[in-house]
Amino acid sequence: MNAAPDQTTPAHDSPVTTPGRVVLVGTPIGDRGQASDALRHTLATARLIAAEDTRRFRDLLRRLDLHTDARVVSYYDQNEAERTPELVAALADGDVVVVSDAGMPLVSDPGYRLVQAALEAGHEVTAVPGPSAVLTALAVSGLATDRFCFEGFLPRKDGPRRRRLAELAHEPRTMVFFEAPHRLADFLRDASSTLGGDRRAAVCRELTKTYEEVRRDTLGALAEWAVENARGEISIVIAGAPHDGEDDIDPLELVRMSISQGEKLSAAVAEVAANTGVNRKQLYAAALADRDGDR
């Protein structure tokens, strides 16, 4: 009697994909040598590839000396909502491979909508893991790595960016951010004024590329440096708030900062109280007296 065929589902670390899955592929963040055999096989045998930038993806194939017969479609912030239903429908005929310009999809890159829609439709989601700028920057920063949080890109406008940094003033974990080079100096200026100019940080640019540079210093010094030295792909790592409280920002000062950016007093007090743990009624009374004292 013949044995029944093996119907075991392939392990996720296998480069062989099965129909109907969303396959999230981590691409090199710099050096093409970061490309794994699993990545190469997945791209070479794919049926449909959703790429953040199709031109950059074609350039990646060229650098990796790879050929694919897959249909390649664009999948980026501006068309993500519109294209997601099309990609979910395509899962009925086989895998959909998702790639971003560099690193893992979904990490400050498109893909979340598709993952959610695919899961809701009953499809499997898996990954071919690859390099991550987040973990690479954290590892080379020289700052604590035991506990950290990823904040990605903060708001582009000054006011909202400062408010978010104020919310992070008492965050004890090491923080990792992304920023565009033309906004780096403004980001570091705001971080220095909000978190403290003596807070340790590292600016990591062009990680694993030819002109990789990691600048480790205080936020104040880095803000000055960045005015003339903001180029390339940027990751920023900032030390968490000190545990001894010596460098903590006065909650009343945080309220003043929010009010100066257009926030109402009551809303500013509620937000600061929630983030710092101070008594809301006492803070409101102090903020009210502070405001009336300026009149």
Side-chain angles (χ1 to χ4, degrees):
M1 182 175 180
N2 293 332
D6 184 3
Q7 296 180 350
T8 303
T9 301
H12 283 188
D13 60 356
S14 169
V16 180
T17 57
T18 55
R21 301 188 301 177
V22 172
V23 184
L24 307 171
V25 176
T27 55
I29 60 175
D31 186 353
R32 67 177 182 177
Q34 297 166 349
S36 66
D37 290 341
L39 180 149
R40 291 173 178 273
H41 181 89
T42 301
L43 296 183
T45 60
R47 179 188 63 90
L48 174 59
I49 298 174
E52 182 179 7
D53 186 314
T54 57
R55 291 172 298 179
R56 290 192 178 186
F57 176 67
R58 295 292 185 189
D59 182 62
L60 173 65
L61 292 178
R62 179 189 60 77
R63 290 189 289 116
L64 297 180
D65 195 24
L66 280 179
H67 171 76
T68 181
D69 291 324
R71 176 186 170 217
V72 179
V73 299
S74 62
Y75 191 60
Y76 55 98
D77 290 340
Q78 283 69 33
N79 75 352
E80 190 174 4
E82 177 183 353
R83 179 142 282 170
T84 292
E86 172 191 336
L87 295 176
V88 172
L91 288 168
D93 298 319
D95 289 345
V96 172
V97 173
V98 181
V99 296
S100 58
D101 289 345
M104 284 298 297
L106 277 77
V107 182
S108 289
D109 281 324
Y112 178 75
R113 289 177 185 267
L114 176 58
V115 166
Q116 289 297 302
L119 291 174
E120 290 175 4
H123 293 282
E124 184 180 352
V125 177
T126 188
V128 178
S132 166
V134 178
L135 294 179
T136 303
L138 180 69
V140 303
S141 68
L143 301 174
T145 60
D146 53 338
R147 298 178 66 234
F148 71 93
C149 61
F150 175 59
E151 287 290 324
F153 288 94
L154 294 195
R156 298 182 179 186
K157 294 185 178 180
D158 291 350
R161 181 173 60 240
R162 290 170 185 157
R163 283 196 290 272
R164 181 59 189 143
L165 285 167
E167 293 171 2
L168 295 170
H170 297 272
E171 171 58 62
R173 296 171 295 180
T174 302
M175 298 168 280
V176 185
F177 303 84
F178 288 162
E179 190 52 277
H182 63 278
R183 291 194 298 269
L184 178 62
D186 290 340
F187 173 95
L188 291 171
R189 177 204 63 210
D190 290 342
S192 177
S193 63
T194 305
L195 306 180
D198 293 334
R199 184 82 69 96
R200 301 297 300 181
V203 174
C204 310
R205 66 180 202 89
E206 297 292 273
L207 286 171
T208 79
K209 300 182 178 71
T210 302
Y211 298 104
E212 174 181 298
E213 180 181 13
V214 180
R215 189 88 175 186
R216 305 172 184 87
D217 212 321
T218 63
L219 281 173
L222 289 171
E224 294 180 6
W225 166 83
V227 174
E228 301 293 338
N229 294 276
R231 295 184 296 275
E233 300 287 337
I234 305 290
S235 300
I236 307 157
V237 187
I238 301 178
H243 296 291
D244 59 13
E246 292 181 1
D247 295 332
D248 285 351
I249 297 178
D250 181 1
L252 188 57
E253 180 60 32
L254 295 177
V255 173
R256 293 191 192 108
M257 189 179 304
S258 293
I259 292 175
S260 70
Q261 299 300 325
E263 191 77 79
K264 292 184 177 179
L265 186 144
S266 58
V269 167
E271 183 177 44
V272 172
N275 289 325
T276 63
V278 301
N279 183 281
R280 179 174 175 176
K281 290 183 178 180
Q282 293 178 355
L283 181 60
Y284 183 83
L288 195 61
D290 180 69
R291 185 192 67 180
D292 292 343
D294 289 339
R295 292 180 177 175

